Amino acid sequence: DQQVKQNSPSLSVQEGRISILNCDYTNSMFDYFLWYKKYPAEGPTFLISISSIKDKNEDGRFTVFLNKSAKHLSLHIVPSQPGDSAVYFCAASEGAQKLVFGQGTRLTINP
Amino acid sequence: DAGVIQSPRHEVTEMGQEVTLRCKPISGHDYLFWYRQTMMRGLELLIYFNNNVPIDDSGMPEDRFSAKMPNASFSTLKIQPSEPRDSAVYFCASSPGTRRNTIYFGEGSWLTVV
């Protein structure tokens, strides 16, 4: 049973525009959320995180939004750059070190 | 600093053979995780250790899978006997446990069972 779902397997965005990646979760006990980025033939790397006590966290071009009532979070990348082309994984946890990941969304930035 | 080191990077084996994947976590990290990546399910947590002790192995798919961590600098994931549906990328990751939930992944071991 997928507790963290990324319903869009892929997304294509023009360079310079905004990329919006979405993630839904079912476990209301999750209290910490993260986004990881993965390039081909490499392991995932941490990108940005947000605690459940917040609804927004920003780091440069990356912003994560959390809507607890809808059990939904999103990652905004603006402006999108070619180097942002990668697979993005959403992850969540409930107080422990254990992370539950989604299926991933492949983002392609077109020049 | 060296990151998480996994070996082999690529493994092709025949169905029924034993497969052993190896991992060296980042020095000083107290947590070690084994994940499996597939197209359908994304990154699945198989098992994780804290101070070399298995904490949660609920993600291990079957008894054919086993994992050990004999010391703080080494862990193995073994599949015996292997089956074609085990073909996936297996990631090892480690965490210091100090920064909330930020774990560091190795480059993965690509397993193909034919």
Side-chain angles (χ1 to χ4, degrees), chain A residues 23-58:
Chain A
C23 177
D24 297 297
Y25 61 95
T26 57
N27 187 347
S28 58
M29 299 301 292
F30 285 147
D31 64 350
Y32 203 76
F33 304 88
L34 307 89
W35 284 93
Y36 274 74
K37 178 179 179 178
K38 183 184 179 304
Y39 291 119
E42 295 183 9
T45 56
F46 170 75
L47 185 59
I48 192 170
S49 62
I50 187 168
S51 165
S52 61
I53 63 173
K54 295 184 177 181
D55 54 18
K56 176 183 175 181
N57 188 29
E58 191 172 350

Side-chain angles (χ1 to χ4, degrees), chain A residues 1-2 31-32 34 36 38 41-46 89 93-104, chain B residues 9 31 33 35 37 39-43 45 48 56 58 91 95 97-103 105-107 110:
Chain A
D1 188 24
Q2 287 285 123
D31 64 350
Y32 203 76
L34 307 89
Y36 274 74
K38 183 184 179 304
E42 295 183 9
T45 56
F46 170 75
F89 289 97
S93 75
E94 49 171 304
Q97 285 290 317
K98 175 179 175 179
L99 289 180
V100 179
F101 284 85
Q103 304 96 315
Chain B
R9 290 297 312 278
Y31 289 84
F33 307 83
Y35 280 88
Q37 182 189 5
M39 288 294 292
M40 290 299 295
R41 300 185 66 83
L43 281 167
L45 178 64
Y48 80 97
D56 184 347
S58 60
F91 288 100
S95 167
T98 51
R99 184 178 178 184
R100 177 75 190 274
N101 302 122
T102 302
I103 64 175
F105 284 84
E107 294 184 321
W110 292 67

Side-chain angles (χ1 to χ4, degrees), chain B residues 26-95:
Chain B
I26 294 172
S27 178
H29 282 193
D30 295 331
Y31 289 84
L32 183 138
F33 307 83
W34 282 101
Y35 280 88
R36 177 172 69 176
Q37 182 189 5
T38 61
M39 288 294 292
M40 290 299 295
R41 300 185 66 83
L43 281 167
E44 296 177 274
L45 178 64
L46 301 178
I47 185 171
Y48 80 97
F49 297 82
N50 179 212
N51 292 323
N52 313 336
V53 176
I55 303 301
D56 184 347
D57 65 354
S58 60
M60 296 287 262
E62 300 172 30
D63 290 346
R64 299 183 296 106
F65 285 70
S66 63
K68 294 182 180 180
M69 192 167 186
N71 58 63
S73 59
F74 184 68
S75 177
T76 60
L77 177 67
K78 187 173 293 187
I79 308 172
Q80 167 63 20
S82 58
E83 296 183 2
R85 58 190 167 130
D86 301 330
S87 298
V89 184
Y90 291 81
F91 288 100
C92 178
S94 69
S95 167

